């Protein structure tokens, strides 16, 4: 006589966890894609003015904060206005010459070009072409660290 009860193996594995793992992974992927990992700025913000203590430094640079923020606005769809401190320009070549003059003044004040940070903040109504024109003007002015942020 054969005994079947001793030969049959019974596994008690509990509930099936595969659907639970699938749902958790889908939620995790959704949160990773929908979330925001970066801040609004690429560089650390600082509102400290430049020091003007030693001879040879330009006293007019006291109010320049780091990073230098260029606010881009568009009064009409085909024009833009870029403001950086006391600089206001609505044309790429004019902005390039003004930014070059500013960079040279900062270099005379002891600030090295690779250390100068530029932050381009575009308003909501600005076209991408205008932001690119401002970025190209900053690059032609030989600034190396150029970041982007939302306009206030």
């Amino acid at each position: 006589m054969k005994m079947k009860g001793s030969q049959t193996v019974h596994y008690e594995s509990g509930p099936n966890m595969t659907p639970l793992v699938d749902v958790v992974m889908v939620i995790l992927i959704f949160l990773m894609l929908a979330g925001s990992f970066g801040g609004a700025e690429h560089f650390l913000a600082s509102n400290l003015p430049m020091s003007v203590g030693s001879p040879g430094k330009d006293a007019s640079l006291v109010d320049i904060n780091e990073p230098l923020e260029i606010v881009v606005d568009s009064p009409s769809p085909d024009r833009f206005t870029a403001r950086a401190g006391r600089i206001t320009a609505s044309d790429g070549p004019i902005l390039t010459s003004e930014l070059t003059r500013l960079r040279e003044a900062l270099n005379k004040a002891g600030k090295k070009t690779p250390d100068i940070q530029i932050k381009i903040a575009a308003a909501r109504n600005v076209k991408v072409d205008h932001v690119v024109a401002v970025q190209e003007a900053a690059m032609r002015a030989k600034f190396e660290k150029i970041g982007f942020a939302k306009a206030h």
Side-chain angles (χ1 to χ4, degrees):
M1 174 166 168
K2 269 185 155 178
M3 297 186 69
K4 288 188 169 189
S6 62
Q7 293 177 351
T8 306
V9 179
H10 297 285
Y11 291 105
E12 273 305 313
S13 61
N16 188 4
M17 298 298 286
T18 305
L20 176 69
V21 172
D22 290 343
V23 170
V24 169
M25 291 302 289
V26 167
I27 291 172
L28 180 66
I29 291 171
F30 172 76
L31 291 176
M32 287 175 59
L33 294 176
S36 171
F37 293 105
E41 300 177 1
H42 287 234
F43 303 111
L44 295 175
S46 171
N47 291 326
L48 297 174
M50 292 181 57
S51 63
V52 186
S54 62
K57 291 192 176 184
D58 189 1
S60 67
L61 297 176
V62 176
D63 62 345
I64 295 177
N65 294 330
E66 184 77 24
L68 176 65
E69 185 174 32
I70 301 174
V71 179
V72 185
D73 196 11
S74 183
S76 68
D78 57 338
R79 288 187 11 219
F80 71 91
T81 302
R83 291 183 319 276
R86 287 177 271 186
I87 299 172
T88 302
S90 58
D91 187 14
I94 295 171
L95 183 62
T96 300
S97 64
E98 292 293 326
L99 288 175
T100 302
R101 199 170 339 159
L102 177 65
R103 182 187 49 79
E104 290 168 353
L106 287 169
N107 290 147
K108 283 183 185 176
K111 191 81 170 168
K112 296 178 183 174
T113 301
D115 296 335
I116 302 170
Q117 298 176 1
I118 298 288
K119 180 173 68 171
I120 300 173
R124 198 175 267 257
N125 60 343
V126 176
K127 291 184 178 180
V128 175
D129 297 338
H130 300 316
V131 176
V132 169
V134 172
Q135 179 192 13
E136 288 174 351
M139 290 172 60
R140 282 193 300 269
K142 297 184 181 158
F143 285 106
E144 298 175 14
K145 291 184 179 178
I146 302 171
F148 300 91
K150 293 180 186 175
H152 303 290

mmCIF file of all heavy atoms in Angstrom, residues 14-15 47 55 70 76 83 102-103 110 115 118 121 123-124 133 147-148:
data_model
loop_
_atom_site.group_PDB
_atom_site.id
_atom_site.type_symbol
_atom_site.label_atom_id
_atom_site.label_comp_id
_atom_site.label_asym_id
_atom_site.label_seq_id
_atom_site.Cartn_x
_atom_site.Cartn_y
_atom_site.Cartn_z
ATOM 1 N N GLY A 14 2.766 31.941 1.563
ATOM 2 C CA GLY A 14 2.045 33.152 1.924
ATOM 3 C C GLY A 14 1.441 33.798 0.694
ATOM 4 O O GLY A 14 1.354 33.205 -0.373
ATOM 5 N N PRO A 15 1.038 35.069 0.823
ATOM 6 C CA PRO A 15 0.388 35.737 -0.310
ATOM 7 C C PRO A 15 1.392 36.059 -1.421
ATOM 8 O O PRO A 15 2.591 36.207 -1.187
ATOM 9 C CB PRO A 15 -0.171 37.027 0.303
ATOM 10 C CG PRO A 15 0.658 37.262 1.509
ATOM 11 C CD PRO A 15 1.076 35.912 2.013
ATOM 12 N N ASN A 47 24.034 87.589 -1.743
ATOM 13 C CA ASN A 47 23.717 89.008 -1.856
ATOM 14 C C ASN A 47 24.814 89.878 -1.261
ATOM 15 O O ASN A 47 24.582 91.050 -0.965
ATOM 16 C CB ASN A 47 22.382 89.307 -1.167
ATOM 17 C CG ASN A 47 21.235 88.704 -1.920
ATOM 18 O OD1 ASN A 47 21.274 88.634 -3.144
ATOM 19 N ND2 ASN A 47 20.231 88.241 -1.211
ATOM 20 N N PRO A 55 43.731 99.800 -2.938
ATOM 21 C CA PRO A 55 43.815 100.763 -4.024
ATOM 22 C C PRO A 55 43.741 100.065 -5.381
ATOM 23 O O PRO A 55 44.146 98.925 -5.521
ATOM 24 C CB PRO A 55 45.184 101.425 -3.818
ATOM 25 C CG PRO A 55 45.906 100.605 -2.830
ATOM 26 C CD PRO A 55 44.920 99.757 -2.122
ATOM 27 N N ILE A 70 21.011 88.884 -14.996
ATOM 28 C CA ILE A 70 20.535 89.570 -16.190
ATOM 29 C C ILE A 70 19.065 89.212 -16.349
ATOM 30 O O ILE A 70 18.721 88.060 -16.597
ATOM 31 C CB ILE A 70 21.327 89.143 -17.447
ATOM 32 C CG1 ILE A 70 22.810 89.434 -17.272
ATOM 33 C CG2 ILE A 70 20.781 89.849 -18.677
ATOM 34 C CD1 ILE A 70 23.664 88.919 -18.405
ATOM 35 N N SER A 76 7.553 93.475 -26.575
ATOM 36 C CA SER A 76 6.787 93.053 -27.746
ATOM 37 C C SER A 76 7.363 91.722 -28.225
ATOM 38 O O SER A 76 8.480 91.364 -27.863
ATOM 39 C CB SER A 76 6.868 94.113 -28.853
ATOM 40 O OG SER A 76 8.168 94.188 -29.373
ATOM 41 N N ARG A 83 18.378 93.653 -18.587
ATOM 42 C CA ARG A 83 18.860 94.554 -17.549
ATOM 43 C C ARG A 83 19.778 93.797 -16.616
ATOM 44 O O ARG A 83 19.418 92.745 -16.091
ATOM 45 C CB ARG A 83 17.689 95.135 -16.762
ATOM 46 C CG ARG A 83 16.828 96.094 -17.535
ATOM 47 C CD ARG A 83 15.720 96.697 -16.675
ATOM 48 N NE ARG A 83 15.064 95.762 -15.778
ATOM 49 C CZ ARG A 83 14.055 94.959 -16.112
ATOM 50 N NH1 ARG A 83 13.597 94.964 -17.336
ATOM 51 N NH2 ARG A 83 13.506 94.162 -15.224
ATOM 52 N N LEU A 102 31.845 95.586 -18.297
ATOM 53 C CA LEU A 102 31.620 95.198 -16.915
ATOM 54 C C LEU A 102 32.615 94.133 -16.474
ATOM 55 O O LEU A 102 33.164 94.195 -15.373
ATOM 56 C CB LEU A 102 30.191 94.694 -16.737
ATOM 57 C CG LEU A 102 29.826 94.186 -15.354
ATOM 58 C CD1 LEU A 102 29.873 95.310 -14.335
ATOM 59 C CD2 LEU A 102 28.454 93.543 -15.370
ATOM 60 N N ARG A 103 32.865 93.136 -17.333
ATOM 61 C CA ARG A 103 33.828 92.090 -16.989
ATOM 62 C C ARG A 103 35.216 92.666 -16.786
ATOM 63 O O ARG A 103 35.934 92.304 -15.851
ATOM 64 C CB ARG A 103 33.860 91.006 -18.077
ATOM 65 C CG ARG A 103 34.820 89.856 -17.761
ATOM 66 C CD ARG A 103 34.960 88.903 -18.914
ATOM 67 N NE ARG A 103 35.220 89.527 -20.179
ATOM 68 C CZ ARG A 103 36.427 89.976 -20.582
ATOM 69 N NH1 ARG A 103 37.469 89.891 -19.785
ATOM 70 N NH2 ARG A 103 36.574 90.508 -21.780
ATOM 71 N N GLY A 110 39.791 92.933 -9.147
ATOM 72 C CA GLY A 110 40.373 91.751 -8.523
ATOM 73 C C GLY A 110 39.556 90.487 -8.670
ATOM 74 O O GLY A 110 39.911 89.452 -8.124
ATOM 75 N N ASP A 115 35.664 83.119 -12.013
ATOM 76 C CA ASP A 115 34.918 83.155 -10.761
ATOM 77 C C ASP A 115 33.615 83.946 -10.860
ATOM 78 O O ASP A 115 32.797 83.897 -9.952
ATOM 79 C CB ASP A 115 35.778 83.760 -9.655
ATOM 80 C CG ASP A 115 36.998 82.904 -9.360
ATOM 81 O OD1 ASP A 115 36.952 81.688 -9.619
ATOM 82 O OD2 ASP A 115 38.007 83.463 -8.876
ATOM 83 N N ILE A 118 27.147 84.407 -13.935
ATOM 84 C CA ILE A 118 26.063 85.129 -14.599
ATOM 85 C C ILE A 118 24.803 84.286 -14.470
ATOM 86 O O ILE A 118 24.824 83.079 -14.715
ATOM 87 C CB ILE A 118 26.373 85.350 -16.102
ATOM 88 C CG1 ILE A 118 27.615 86.202 -16.282
ATOM 89 C CG2 ILE A 118 25.184 85.955 -16.813
ATOM 90 C CD1 ILE A 118 27.429 87.642 -15.924
ATOM 91 N N ALA A 121 17.781 85.456 -16.002
ATOM 92 C CA ALA A 121 16.422 85.234 -15.506
ATOM 93 C C ALA A 121 15.444 85.795 -16.527
ATOM 94 O O ALA A 121 15.402 86.997 -16.753
ATOM 95 C CB ALA A 121 16.229 85.902 -14.153
ATOM 96 N N ALA A 123 11.652 86.494 -18.070
ATOM 97 C CA ALA A 123 10.252 86.651 -17.687
ATOM 98 C C ALA A 123 9.402 85.633 -18.437
ATOM 99 O O ALA A 123 9.868 84.961 -19.363
ATOM 100 C CB ALA A 123 9.783 88.074 -17.987
ATOM 101 N N ARG A 124 8.159 85.547 -18.078
ATOM 102 C CA ARG A 124 7.275 84.533 -18.634
ATOM 103 C C ARG A 124 6.996 84.749 -20.120
ATOM 104 O O ARG A 124 6.812 83.805 -20.869
ATOM 105 C CB ARG A 124 5.974 84.562 -17.855
ATOM 106 C CG ARG A 124 5.133 83.352 -17.998
ATOM 107 C CD ARG A 124 3.947 83.466 -17.078
ATOM 108 N NE ARG A 124 4.211 82.839 -15.811
ATOM 109 C CZ ARG A 124 3.729 81.660 -15.469
ATOM 110 N NH1 ARG A 124 2.970 81.013 -16.297
ATOM 111 N NH2 ARG A 124 4.002 81.130 -14.313
ATOM 112 N N ALA A 133 19.907 84.790 -27.342
ATOM 113 C CA ALA A 133 20.680 85.979 -27.737
ATOM 114 C C ALA A 133 21.405 86.577 -26.544
ATOM 115 O O ALA A 133 22.570 86.996 -26.655
ATOM 116 C CB ALA A 133 19.752 87.011 -28.373
ATOM 117 N N GLY A 147 24.315 80.627 -15.867
ATOM 118 C CA GLY A 147 23.214 79.786 -15.408
ATOM 119 C C GLY A 147 21.886 80.444 -15.741
ATOM 120 O O GLY A 147 21.825 81.570 -16.219
ATOM 121 N N PHE A 148 20.810 79.725 -15.457
ATOM 122 C CA PHE A 148 19.468 80.199 -15.770
ATOM 123 C C PHE A 148 18.584 80.091 -14.533
ATOM 124 O O PHE A 148 18.765 79.209 -13.712
ATOM 125 C CB PHE A 148 18.848 79.404 -16.915
ATOM 126 C CG PHE A 148 19.650 79.509 -18.185
ATOM 127 C CD1 PHE A 148 20.646 78.589 -18.470
ATOM 128 C CD2 PHE A 148 19.429 80.540 -19.057
ATOM 129 C CE1 PHE A 148 21.390 78.701 -19.628
ATOM 130 C CE2 PHE A 148 20.153 80.659 -20.229
ATOM 131 C CZ PHE A 148 21.145 79.723 -20.505
#
